[in-house]
Amino acid sequence: RGQQGLGETILRYVLTFGALPSLNEAVNNGMESLLSGEADVPALLALQLGLALNYTKAGMIILIMLTGGEAIEDYALNRAGNDLHSLLEKSPGLSHRRISKH
């Protein structure tokens, strides 16, 4: 039981400190982050319930999904910005217009 108890304790600390950035964002931005969808309220509630009810493994899965989703979103935003910048660099700076004489 000693090794398992230590493992559970470590998981609880990881869950607690892993959830702090998301909780901090939700608290600091208040209702704005909740209404805009920036704060993933169901995931944050599930994390807290996982801690409270001692479902640490389920909480870890939710934490991985939450942080992984944020990382993928950041990557996608960065990639889209780079692609847009690349398109703008390739756009013509000067154009000519032909007027037909009908």
Side-chain angles (χ1 to χ4, degrees):
R1 178 80 182 140
Q3 289 283 43
Q4 188 177 8
L6 177 64
E8 290 290 320
T9 302
I10 291 171
L11 283 178
R12 290 180 72 77
Y13 279 112
V14 169
L15 277 174
T16 301
F17 292 109
L20 284 179
S22 297
L23 286 170
N24 187 34
E25 179 182 333
V27 170
N28 285 340
N29 295 339
M31 288 301 291
E32 181 181 324
S33 68
L34 295 176
L35 295 176
S36 69
E38 288 178 31
D40 194 350
V41 177
L44 293 173
L45 287 174
L47 276 172
Q48 297 308 309
L49 283 172
L51 278 170
L53 299 175
N54 204 23
Y55 290 122
T56 52
K57 291 176 186 142
M60 283 301 294
I61 292 170
I62 294 166
L63 181 62
I64 290 168
M65 289 172 37
L66 181 65
T67 56
E70 290 173 359
I72 290 170
E73 184 180 341
D74 290 343
Y75 171 78
L77 283 172
N78 190 23
R79 175 114 190 235
N82 289 340
D83 289 347
L84 184 57
H85 184 70
S86 175
L87 280 172
L88 287 173
E89 284 181 345
K90 293 176 183 177
S91 67
L94 177 67
S95 64
H96 299 280
R97 185 172 68 168
R98 211 175 265 192
I99 300 174
S100 64
K101 298 178 182 179
H102 296 329

PDB file of all heavy atoms in Angstrom, residues 65-94:
ATOM      1  N   MET A  65      -5.997  16.116 -21.414  1.00  0.00           N
ATOM      2  CA  MET A  65      -6.853  16.587 -22.509  1.00  0.00           C
ATOM      3  C   MET A  65      -6.945  18.106 -22.506  1.00  0.00           C
ATOM      4  O   MET A  65      -6.896  18.749 -23.559  1.00  0.00           O
ATOM      5  CB  MET A  65      -8.248  15.961 -22.391  1.00  0.00           C
ATOM      6  CG  MET A  65      -8.261  14.488 -22.704  1.00  0.00           C
ATOM      7  SD  MET A  65      -9.821  13.631 -22.361  1.00  0.00           S
ATOM      8  CE  MET A  65     -11.065  14.773 -22.799  1.00  0.00           C
ATOM      9  N   LEU A  66      -7.071  18.702 -21.333  1.00  0.00           N
ATOM     10  CA  LEU A  66      -7.203  20.154 -21.225  1.00  0.00           C
ATOM     11  C   LEU A  66      -5.937  20.856 -21.689  1.00  0.00           C
ATOM     12  O   LEU A  66      -5.978  21.754 -22.522  1.00  0.00           O
ATOM     13  CB  LEU A  66      -7.530  20.534 -19.777  1.00  0.00           C
ATOM     14  CG  LEU A  66      -7.732  22.014 -19.476  1.00  0.00           C
ATOM     15  CD1 LEU A  66      -8.949  22.535 -20.204  1.00  0.00           C
ATOM     16  CD2 LEU A  66      -7.894  22.211 -17.975  1.00  0.00           C
ATOM     17  N   THR A  67      -4.789  20.436 -21.164  1.00  0.00           N
ATOM     18  CA  THR A  67      -3.538  21.091 -21.533  1.00  0.00           C
ATOM     19  C   THR A  67      -3.137  20.756 -22.962  1.00  0.00           C
ATOM     20  O   THR A  67      -2.594  21.600 -23.674  1.00  0.00           O
ATOM     21  CB  THR A  67      -2.409  20.710 -20.567  1.00  0.00           C
ATOM     22  OG1 THR A  67      -2.283  19.296 -20.526  1.00  0.00           O
ATOM     23  CG2 THR A  67      -2.684  21.237 -19.176  1.00  0.00           C
ATOM     24  N   GLY A  68      -3.419  19.533 -23.401  1.00  0.00           N
ATOM     25  CA  GLY A  68      -3.125  19.159 -24.787  1.00  0.00           C
ATOM     26  C   GLY A  68      -3.963  19.956 -25.767  1.00  0.00           C
ATOM     27  O   GLY A  68      -3.472  20.391 -26.815  1.00  0.00           O
ATOM     28  N   GLY A  69      -5.226  20.167 -25.425  1.00  0.00           N
ATOM     29  CA  GLY A  69      -6.098  20.973 -26.296  1.00  0.00           C
ATOM     30  C   GLY A  69      -5.622  22.407 -26.394  1.00  0.00           C
ATOM     31  O   GLY A  69      -5.655  23.014 -27.470  1.00  0.00           O
ATOM     32  N   GLU A  70      -5.170  22.955 -25.280  1.00  0.00           N
ATOM     33  CA  GLU A  70      -4.646  24.328 -25.299  1.00  0.00           C
ATOM     34  C   GLU A  70      -3.375  24.414 -26.141  1.00  0.00           C
ATOM     35  O   GLU A  70      -3.176  25.373 -26.886  1.00  0.00           O
ATOM     36  CB  GLU A  70      -4.372  24.804 -23.872  1.00  0.00           C
ATOM     37  CG  GLU A  70      -5.627  25.049 -23.068  1.00  0.00           C
ATOM     38  CD  GLU A  70      -5.355  25.358 -21.605  1.00  0.00           C
ATOM     39  OE1 GLU A  70      -4.174  25.360 -21.197  1.00  0.00           O
ATOM     40  OE2 GLU A  70      -6.322  25.595 -20.874  1.00  0.00           O
ATOM     41  N   ALA A  71      -2.528  23.398 -26.045  1.00  0.00           N
ATOM     42  CA  ALA A  71      -1.287  23.392 -26.827  1.00  0.00           C
ATOM     43  C   ALA A  71      -1.590  23.292 -28.321  1.00  0.00           C
ATOM     44  O   ALA A  71      -0.970  23.988 -29.140  1.00  0.00           O
ATOM     45  CB  ALA A  71      -0.387  22.242 -26.386  1.00  0.00           C
ATOM     46  N   ILE A  72      -2.537  22.442 -28.679  1.00  0.00           N
ATOM     47  CA  ILE A  72      -2.915  22.300 -30.087  1.00  0.00           C
ATOM     48  C   ILE A  72      -3.533  23.604 -30.599  1.00  0.00           C
ATOM     49  O   ILE A  72      -3.260  24.037 -31.721  1.00  0.00           O
ATOM     50  CB  ILE A  72      -3.876  21.115 -30.269  1.00  0.00           C
ATOM     51  CG1 ILE A  72      -3.120  19.809 -30.041  1.00  0.00           C
ATOM     52  CG2 ILE A  72      -4.526  21.133 -31.642  1.00  0.00           C
ATOM     53  CD1 ILE A  72      -4.001  18.590 -29.961  1.00  0.00           C
ATOM     54  N   GLU A  73      -4.349  24.244 -29.795  1.00  0.00           N
ATOM     55  CA  GLU A  73      -4.960  25.505 -30.182  1.00  0.00           C
ATOM     56  C   GLU A  73      -3.899  26.586 -30.392  1.00  0.00           C
ATOM     57  O   GLU A  73      -3.960  27.334 -31.372  1.00  0.00           O
ATOM     58  CB  GLU A  73      -5.957  25.949 -29.114  1.00  0.00           C
ATOM     59  CG  GLU A  73      -6.713  27.200 -29.457  1.00  0.00           C
ATOM     60  CD  GLU A  73      -7.692  27.600 -28.374  1.00  0.00           C
ATOM     61  OE1 GLU A  73      -8.058  26.748 -27.539  1.00  0.00           O
ATOM     62  OE2 GLU A  73      -8.094  28.776 -28.369  1.00  0.00           O
ATOM     63  N   ASP A  74      -2.930  26.664 -29.490  1.00  0.00           N
ATOM     64  CA  ASP A  74      -1.847  27.638 -29.643  1.00  0.00           C
ATOM     65  C   ASP A  74      -1.049  27.373 -30.910  1.00  0.00           C
ATOM     66  O   ASP A  74      -0.693  28.300 -31.651  1.00  0.00           O
ATOM     67  CB  ASP A  74      -0.915  27.612 -28.434  1.00  0.00           C
ATOM     68  CG  ASP A  74      -1.563  28.174 -27.181  1.00  0.00           C
ATOM     69  OD1 ASP A  74      -2.588  28.876 -27.311  1.00  0.00           O
ATOM     70  OD2 ASP A  74      -1.045  27.904 -26.086  1.00  0.00           O
ATOM     71  N   TYR A  75      -0.763  26.103 -31.182  1.00  0.00           N
ATOM     72  CA  TYR A  75      -0.026  25.738 -32.387  1.00  0.00           C
ATOM     73  C   TYR A  75      -0.811  26.132 -33.638  1.00  0.00           C
ATOM     74  O   TYR A  75      -0.254  26.696 -34.586  1.00  0.00           O
ATOM     75  CB  TYR A  75       0.258  24.229 -32.394  1.00  0.00           C
ATOM     76  CG  TYR A  75       0.830  23.735 -33.694  1.00  0.00           C
ATOM     77  CD1 TYR A  75       2.167  23.935 -34.005  1.00  0.00           C
ATOM     78  CD2 TYR A  75       0.031  23.066 -34.603  1.00  0.00           C
ATOM     79  CE1 TYR A  75       2.697  23.483 -35.196  1.00  0.00           C
ATOM     80  CE2 TYR A  75       0.554  22.617 -35.802  1.00  0.00           C
ATOM     81  CZ  TYR A  75       1.884  22.824 -36.100  1.00  0.00           C
ATOM     82  OH  TYR A  75       2.392  22.382 -37.282  1.00  0.00           O
ATOM     83  N   ALA A  76      -2.116  25.844 -33.639  1.00  0.00           N
ATOM     84  CA  ALA A  76      -2.949  26.161 -34.804  1.00  0.00           C
ATOM     85  C   ALA A  76      -3.025  27.672 -35.037  1.00  0.00           C
ATOM     86  O   ALA A  76      -2.965  28.134 -36.178  1.00  0.00           O
ATOM     87  CB  ALA A  76      -4.353  25.582 -34.622  1.00  0.00           C
ATOM     88  N   LEU A  77      -3.165  28.450 -33.976  1.00  0.00           N
ATOM     89  CA  LEU A  77      -3.208  29.903 -34.117  1.00  0.00           C
ATOM     90  C   LEU A  77      -1.891  30.449 -34.663  1.00  0.00           C
ATOM     91  O   LEU A  77      -1.879  31.329 -35.536  1.00  0.00           O
ATOM     92  CB  LEU A  77      -3.531  30.561 -32.773  1.00  0.00           C
ATOM     93  CG  LEU A  77      -4.977  30.499 -32.329  1.00  0.00           C
ATOM     94  CD1 LEU A  77      -5.118  31.008 -30.904  1.00  0.00           C
ATOM     95  CD2 LEU A  77      -5.852  31.304 -33.260  1.00  0.00           C
ATOM     96  N   ASN A  78      -0.785  29.925 -34.163  1.00  0.00           N
ATOM     97  CA  ASN A  78       0.528  30.354 -34.637  1.00  0.00           C
ATOM     98  C   ASN A  78       0.718  29.990 -36.103  1.00  0.00           C
ATOM     99  O   ASN A  78       1.193  30.794 -36.904  1.00  0.00           O
ATOM    100  CB  ASN A  78       1.622  29.720 -33.777  1.00  0.00           C
ATOM    101  CG  ASN A  78       2.978  30.303 -34.065  1.00  0.00           C
ATOM    102  OD1 ASN A  78       3.095  31.420 -34.567  1.00  0.00           O
ATOM    103  ND2 ASN A  78       4.015  29.554 -33.750  1.00  0.00           N
ATOM    104  N   ARG A  79       0.325  28.787 -36.466  1.00  0.00           N
ATOM    105  CA  ARG A  79       0.468  28.340 -37.857  1.00  0.00           C
ATOM    106  C   ARG A  79      -0.415  29.163 -38.786  1.00  0.00           C
ATOM    107  O   ARG A  79       0.004  29.557 -39.874  1.00  0.00           O
ATOM    108  CB  ARG A  79       0.111  26.863 -37.935  1.00  0.00           C
ATOM    109  CG  ARG A  79       0.106  26.294 -39.299  1.00  0.00           C
ATOM    110  CD  ARG A  79       1.184  25.276 -39.480  1.00  0.00           C
ATOM    111  NE  ARG A  79       1.292  24.920 -40.862  1.00  0.00           N
ATOM    112  CZ  ARG A  79       1.212  23.693 -41.317  1.00  0.00           C
ATOM    113  NH1 ARG A  79       1.070  22.702 -40.479  1.00  0.00           N
ATOM    114  NH2 ARG A  79       1.308  23.443 -42.594  1.00  0.00           N
ATOM    115  N   ALA A  80      -1.643  29.437 -38.385  1.00  0.00           N
ATOM    116  CA  ALA A  80      -2.543  30.244 -39.207  1.00  0.00           C
ATOM    117  C   ALA A  80      -1.992  31.652 -39.385  1.00  0.00           C
ATOM    118  O   ALA A  80      -2.056  32.218 -40.483  1.00  0.00           O
ATOM    119  CB  ALA A  80      -3.932  30.291 -38.575  1.00  0.00           C
ATOM    120  N   GLY A  81      -1.435  32.222 -38.315  1.00  0.00           N
ATOM    121  CA  GLY A  81      -0.837  33.554 -38.423  1.00  0.00           C
ATOM    122  C   GLY A  81       0.342  33.570 -39.370  1.00  0.00           C
ATOM    123  O   GLY A  81       0.497  34.504 -40.181  1.00  0.00           O
ATOM    124  N   ASN A  82       1.186  32.542 -39.298  1.00  0.00           N
ATOM    125  CA  ASN A  82       2.325  32.456 -40.207  1.00  0.00           C
ATOM    126  C   ASN A  82       1.875  32.302 -41.656  1.00  0.00           C
ATOM    127  O   ASN A  82       2.449  32.920 -42.567  1.00  0.00           O
ATOM    128  CB  ASN A  82       3.236  31.282 -39.825  1.00  0.00           C
ATOM    129  CG  ASN A  82       3.986  31.534 -38.544  1.00  0.00           C
ATOM    130  OD1 ASN A  82       4.134  32.669 -38.113  1.00  0.00           O
ATOM    131  ND2 ASN A  82       4.446  30.468 -37.921  1.00  0.00           N
ATOM    132  N   ASP A  83       0.858  31.480 -41.903  1.00  0.00           N
ATOM    133  CA  ASP A  83       0.352  31.295 -43.260  1.00  0.00           C
ATOM    134  C   ASP A  83      -0.261  32.582 -43.803  1.00  0.00           C
ATOM    135  O   ASP A  83      -0.063  32.918 -44.975  1.00  0.00           O
ATOM    136  CB  ASP A  83      -0.677  30.166 -43.301  1.00  0.00           C
ATOM    137  CG  ASP A  83      -0.056  28.796 -43.119  1.00  0.00           C
ATOM    138  OD1 ASP A  83       1.189  28.694 -43.209  1.00  0.00           O
ATOM    139  OD2 ASP A  83      -0.810  27.833 -42.867  1.00  0.00           O
ATOM    140  N   LEU A  84      -0.987  33.288 -42.966  1.00  0.00           N
ATOM    141  CA  LEU A  84      -1.578  34.553 -43.394  1.00  0.00           C
ATOM    142  C   LEU A  84      -0.494  35.570 -43.723  1.00  0.00           C
ATOM    143  O   LEU A  84      -0.571  36.277 -44.732  1.00  0.00           O
ATOM    144  CB  LEU A  84      -2.508  35.104 -42.318  1.00  0.00           C
ATOM    145  CG  LEU A  84      -3.281  36.367 -42.654  1.00  0.00           C
ATOM    146  CD1 LEU A  84      -4.128  36.178 -43.898  1.00  0.00           C
ATOM    147  CD2 LEU A  84      -4.143  36.786 -41.482  1.00  0.00           C
ATOM    148  N   HIS A  85       0.529  35.627 -42.886  1.00  0.00           N
ATOM    149  CA  HIS A  85       1.648  36.538 -43.135  1.00  0.00           C
ATOM    150  C   HIS A  85       2.341  36.184 -44.452  1.00  0.00           C
ATOM    151  O   HIS A  85       2.687  37.064 -45.239  1.00  0.00           O
ATOM    152  CB  HIS A  85       2.637  36.483 -41.967  1.00  0.00           C
ATOM    153  CG  HIS A  85       3.762  37.445 -42.083  1.00  0.00           C
ATOM    154  ND1 HIS A  85       3.589  38.802 -41.963  1.00  0.00           N
ATOM    155  CD2 HIS A  85       5.084  37.246 -42.337  1.00  0.00           C
ATOM    156  CE1 HIS A  85       4.749  39.404 -42.128  1.00  0.00           C
ATOM    157  NE2 HIS A  85       5.676  38.479 -42.360  1.00  0.00           N
ATOM    158  N   SER A  86       2.512  34.905 -44.714  1.00  0.00           N
ATOM    159  CA  SER A  86       3.138  34.453 -45.954  1.00  0.00           C
ATOM    160  C   SER A  86       2.296  34.835 -47.164  1.00  0.00           C
ATOM    161  O   SER A  86       2.829  35.275 -48.189  1.00  0.00           O
ATOM    162  CB  SER A  86       3.331  32.932 -45.906  1.00  0.00           C
ATOM    163  OG  SER A  86       3.829  32.452 -47.117  1.00  0.00           O
ATOM    164  N   LEU A  87       0.994  34.689 -47.050  1.00  0.00           N
ATOM    165  CA  LEU A  87       0.111  35.090 -48.153  1.00  0.00           C
ATOM    166  C   LEU A  87       0.181  36.588 -48.413  1.00  0.00           C
ATOM    167  O   LEU A  87       0.196  37.042 -49.566  1.00  0.00           O
ATOM    168  CB  LEU A  87      -1.338  34.694 -47.850  1.00  0.00           C
ATOM    169  CG  LEU A  87      -1.719  33.250 -48.096  1.00  0.00           C
ATOM    170  CD1 LEU A  87      -3.121  32.993 -47.570  1.00  0.00           C
ATOM    171  CD2 LEU A  87      -1.633  32.906 -49.566  1.00  0.00           C
ATOM    172  N   LEU A  88       0.208  37.370 -47.347  1.00  0.00           N
ATOM    173  CA  LEU A  88       0.289  38.826 -47.513  1.00  0.00           C
ATOM    174  C   LEU A  88       1.603  39.245 -48.156  1.00  0.00           C
ATOM    175  O   LEU A  88       1.636  40.193 -48.945  1.00  0.00           O
ATOM    176  CB  LEU A  88       0.110  39.517 -46.161  1.00  0.00           C
ATOM    177  CG  LEU A  88      -1.306  39.507 -45.603  1.00  0.00           C
ATOM    178  CD1 LEU A  88      -1.319  40.060 -44.187  1.00  0.00           C
ATOM    179  CD2 LEU A  88      -2.248  40.287 -46.488  1.00  0.00           C
ATOM    180  N   GLU A  89       2.690  38.545 -47.850  1.00  0.00           N
ATOM    181  CA  GLU A  89       3.977  38.862 -48.468  1.00  0.00           C
ATOM    182  C   GLU A  89       3.974  38.554 -49.953  1.00  0.00           C
ATOM    183  O   GLU A  89       4.654  39.224 -50.735  1.00  0.00           O
ATOM    184  CB  GLU A  89       5.099  38.067 -47.794  1.00  0.00           C
ATOM    185  CG  GLU A  89       5.503  38.605 -46.445  1.00  0.00           C
ATOM    186  CD  GLU A  89       6.630  37.790 -45.822  1.00  0.00           C
ATOM    187  OE1 GLU A  89       6.905  36.666 -46.291  1.00  0.00           O
ATOM    188  OE2 GLU A  89       7.213  38.288 -44.854  1.00  0.00           O
ATOM    189  N   LYS A  90       3.191  37.567 -50.374  1.00  0.00           N
ATOM    190  CA  LYS A  90       3.158  37.158 -51.775  1.00  0.00           C
ATOM    191  C   LYS A  90       2.154  37.961 -52.600  1.00  0.00           C
ATOM    192  O   LYS A  90       2.121  37.823 -53.809  1.00  0.00           O
ATOM    193  CB  LYS A  90       2.827  35.672 -51.881  1.00  0.00           C
ATOM    194  CG  LYS A  90       3.925  34.792 -51.329  1.00  0.00           C
ATOM    195  CD  LYS A  90       3.531  33.343 -51.371  1.00  0.00           C
ATOM    196  CE  LYS A  90       4.631  32.504 -50.729  1.00  0.00           C
ATOM    197  NZ  LYS A  90       4.263  31.090 -50.681  1.00  0.00           N
ATOM    198  N   SER A  91       1.341  38.767 -51.941  1.00  0.00           N
ATOM    199  CA  SER A  91       0.335  39.534 -52.686  1.00  0.00           C
ATOM    200  C   SER A  91       1.029  40.627 -53.486  1.00  0.00           C
ATOM    201  O   SER A  91       2.052  41.177 -53.074  1.00  0.00           O
ATOM    202  CB  SER A  91      -0.697  40.135 -51.730  1.00  0.00           C
ATOM    203  OG  SER A  91      -0.102  41.108 -50.921  1.00  0.00           O
ATOM    204  N   PRO A  92       0.486  40.943 -54.643  1.00  0.00           N
ATOM    205  CA  PRO A  92       1.120  41.974 -55.476  1.00  0.00           C
ATOM    206  C   PRO A  92       1.022  43.354 -54.838  1.00  0.00           C
ATOM    207  O   PRO A  92       0.021  43.703 -54.214  1.00  0.00           O
ATOM    208  CB  PRO A  92       0.336  41.916 -56.783  1.00  0.00           C
ATOM    209  CG  PRO A  92      -0.951  41.263 -56.446  1.00  0.00           C
ATOM    210  CD  PRO A  92      -0.696  40.385 -55.266  1.00  0.00           C
ATOM    211  N   GLY A  93       2.080  44.127 -55.015  1.00  0.00           N
ATOM    212  CA  GLY A  93       2.088  45.482 -54.478  1.00  0.00           C
ATOM    213  C   GLY A  93       1.529  46.483 -55.476  1.00  0.00           C
ATOM    214  O   GLY A  93       1.077  47.562 -55.108  1.00  0.00           O
ATOM    215  N   LEU A  94       1.531  46.115 -56.744  1.00  0.00           N
ATOM    216  CA  LEU A  94       1.085  47.002 -57.814  1.00  0.00           C
ATOM    217  C   LEU A  94       0.248  46.186 -58.771  1.00  0.00           C
ATOM    218  O   LEU A  94       0.591  45.056 -59.103  1.00  0.00           O
ATOM    219  CB  LEU A  94       2.309  47.586 -58.543  1.00  0.00           C
ATOM    220  CG  LEU A  94       2.048  48.488 -59.738  1.00  0.00           C
ATOM    221  CD1 LEU A  94       1.392  49.782 -59.280  1.00  0.00           C
ATOM    222  CD2 LEU A  94       3.358  48.779 -60.446  1.00  0.00           C
TER     223      LEU A  94
END
